[in-house]
């Protein structure tokens, strides 16, 4: 498995952030900003970063506050995008992906920044971030949303509302619901494999 690394990155304008990243062993296909869950940079996030690097992506996660507001998410993402650009990744080959709270954050980014592609796996508003259905209609980046309806995930009707809202954005979107699954898919390994493949396929299709 590819190793992850953490560094302090500071811009000339004084903006700075901690970044955890993994680099592909071979050619870099593009760059992915990974937005973490409320738990921060956990072992699961490091595994995700490494797994994306194994697929050829330069994957990097900014360290965000425990409950980030919209401005926190966008500021962290902007600095991370600059880091990817400095590492030679072209703008049209950059995407964003997030799970749980990071999934909501990825939708916020995809509605406020024009990127090559975005994927959200689960996530609801935490009170600091806007409601999903409020921002889905403002999407400016191709967006894939993957949701379950178990535990604290969105109910089936909420997912359908989100799908309808995203469809009004004028960009390419797809919303997939896995009945009985949560955002970790830990009770449904088959759905987990399919969701992972959908994520990779989305980036394959749009970051080229």
């Amino acid at each position: 498995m590819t190793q992850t690394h953490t560094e302090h990155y500071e811009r000339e304008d004084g903006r700075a952030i901690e970044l955890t990243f993994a680099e592909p062993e071979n050619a870099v296909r593009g760059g992915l900003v990974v937005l973490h869950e409320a738990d921060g940079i956990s072992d699961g996030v490091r595994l995700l970063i490494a797994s994306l690097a194994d697929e050829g992506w330069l994957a990097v996660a900014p360290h965000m506050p425990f409950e980030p507001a919209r401005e926190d998410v966008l500021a962290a993402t902007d600095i991370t995008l600059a880091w990817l650009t400095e590492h030679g990744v072209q703008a049209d080959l950059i995407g964003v992906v997030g799970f749980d709270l990071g999934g909501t954050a990825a939708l916020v980014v995809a509605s406020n920044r024009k990127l090559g592609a975005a994927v959200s796996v689960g996530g609801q508003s935490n009170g600091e971030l806007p409601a999903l259905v409020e921002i889905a209609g403002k999407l400016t980046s191709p967006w894939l949303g993957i949701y379950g309806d178990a535990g604290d995930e969105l109910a089936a009707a909420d997912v359908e509302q989100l799908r309808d809202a995203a469809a009004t954005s004028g960009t390419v979107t797809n919303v997939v619901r896995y009945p009985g699954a949560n955002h970790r898919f830990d009770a449904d390994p088959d759905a987990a494999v399919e969701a992972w493949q959908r994520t990779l396929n989305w980036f394959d299709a749009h970051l080229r």
Side-chain angles (χ1 to χ4, degrees), residues 53 57 62 73 85 179 182 199 206:
W57 304 103
V73 170
T85 300
N182 60 25
T199 298
H206 295 283

Side-chain angles (χ1 to χ4, degrees), residues 99 120-122 145-149 153 176-196 198-199:
F99 288 72
S120 297
V121 181
I146 299 175
Y147 296 92
D149 55 13
E153 287 297 282
V176 181
R177 179 174 68 90
Y178 289 92
N182 60 25
H183 75 279
R184 295 182 184 275
F185 293 95
D186 45 17
D188 192 338
D190 291 336
V193 170
E194 183 178 322
W196 173 247
R198 281 183 182 272
T199 298

Side-chain angles (χ1 to χ4, degrees), residues 96-116:
V96 61
V97 58
F99 288 72
D100 194 22
L101 180 61
T104 304
L107 178 56
V108 169
V109 172
S111 301
N112 288 273
R113 299 290 185 267
K114 190 169 181 56
L115 300 177

